[in-house]
Amino acid sequence: MFEYFGARYVPIEEDEGFFAGSAVEVAPRLIGCVLHQSNGSEDTAIMIVEAEACHEGDGPTHHSDSQRLAGGHVYVHGGREKWGNGYRNMRSIDLVCGDKGQASSILIRAGVPVVGDDIMAERRKVYERAIRERSNGYQKRLCRGPCNVGEALGLHPLLDGASLFKPPFRILRPVSPPPRLLNGPRINVSKDAHRLWRWGHHDYRPWISAPFPRDKVA
């Protein structure tokens, strides 16, 4: 049993079936879960407060072999963007769900730092002045947005396809899930953007990457 923010958490086990459903079924369950990632001696963890479903046939997928693994694996994706005189590596993380070969996953769009705030700030300070100067409320910026989540967690290509149930990952679920969730359309997609496939934690609005137009009672 673990405790964060006054709430109790238990590990999600590989045979529990937590990731057995489609992305649309699993994404709301992930809100409030805690994702750990250990990079050598640097241990970081976030509470997931925003997640977006992606399911083959109903919206854009990346057609990656990792996205087609069985539920409970990690799909790390991204690229590089021009930054100053060089390039910045941009990595995002999806949690794969459903049956093998299905291409169903959940993009982690935002999180609240739980472990390793200073480590995350060091990783992200190069690209955000507010974080570099530790301005008031900078913690809310550490994991706001998919690529910022990836940067804060120290994601790298070798993690693509890893299991969530083995080091360097660990995932926990709250004993009492959040009673209310935010729900709204996906963002920054060109296909089926109207689908209400994005969920957020009602109590952590300032940490979320984009506003929700309406609430959903879970």
Side-chain angles (χ1 to χ4, degrees):
M1 188 77 69
F2 300 81
E3 186 169 323
Y4 304 110
F5 305 122
R8 293 182 299 164
Y9 286 77
V10 294
I12 298 174
E13 304 293 346
E14 188 169 2
D15 60 355
E16 187 176 327
F18 185 93
F19 292 97
S22 71
V24 181
E25 296 172 295
V26 178
R29 299 180 205 159
L30 283 173
I31 303 301
C33 289
V34 170
L35 176 65
H36 283 256
Q37 204 281 108
S38 296
N39 191 347
S41 61
E42 297 180 327
D43 189 27
T44 53
I46 62 169
M47 180 176 68
I48 299 169
V49 295
E50 184 185 3
E52 186 175 274
C54 180
H55 187 75
E56 187 174 45
D58 294 306
T61 54
H62 298 272
H63 306 292
S64 164
D65 290 341
S66 299
Q67 197 182 26
R68 294 180 179 279
L69 293 171
H73 286 83
V74 166
Y75 169 43
V76 175
H77 53 98
R80 299 197 304 168
E81 72 169 6
K82 186 72 175 177
W83 185 270
N85 295 322
Y87 290 88
R88 175 187 180 187
N89 290 323
M90 307 292 285
R91 303 281 175 200
S92 301
I93 184 169
D94 279 39
L95 306 188
V96 181
C97 54
D99 297 329
K100 185 176 181 179
Q102 192 174 63
S104 192
S105 65
I106 299 105
L107 174 67
I108 306 306
R109 293 199 57 89
V112 175
V114 173
V115 176
D117 298 42
D118 289 338
I119 295 171
M120 295 183 190
E122 281 299 306
R123 290 171 177 167
R124 298 224 50 246
K125 69 179 184 180
V126 175
Y127 304 108
E128 286 206 40
R129 181 176 177 179
I131 295 174
R132 184 165 55 252
E133 298 179 353
R134 301 296 200 273
S135 300
N136 184 40
Y138 80 92
Q139 297 94 336
K140 296 181 176 66
R141 306 182 66 87
L142 290 175
C143 303
R144 183 190 291 165
C147 291
N148 293 338
V149 169
E151 194 167 68
L153 291 178
L155 297 181
H156 54 82
L158 292 179
L159 294 174
D160 185 36
S163 170
L164 282 167
F165 310 116
K166 298 176 183 178
F169 290 102
R170 184 173 75 229
I171 187 163
L172 314 172
R173 61 174 175 80
V175 173
S176 300
R180 296 188 68 197
L181 299 181
L182 302 170
N183 179 229
R186 293 184 297 180
I187 55 177
N188 298 328
V189 294
S190 58
K191 180 180 178 183
D192 293 330
H194 65 284
R195 292 185 182 274
L196 304 181
W197 280 9
R198 186 167 62 101
W199 287 266
H201 198 305
H202 185 273
D203 298 334
Y204 289 88
R205 290 173 181 266
W207 306 80
I208 288 170
S209 68
F212 283 83
R214 67 190 182 104
D215 288 359
K216 173 184 177 180
V217 179

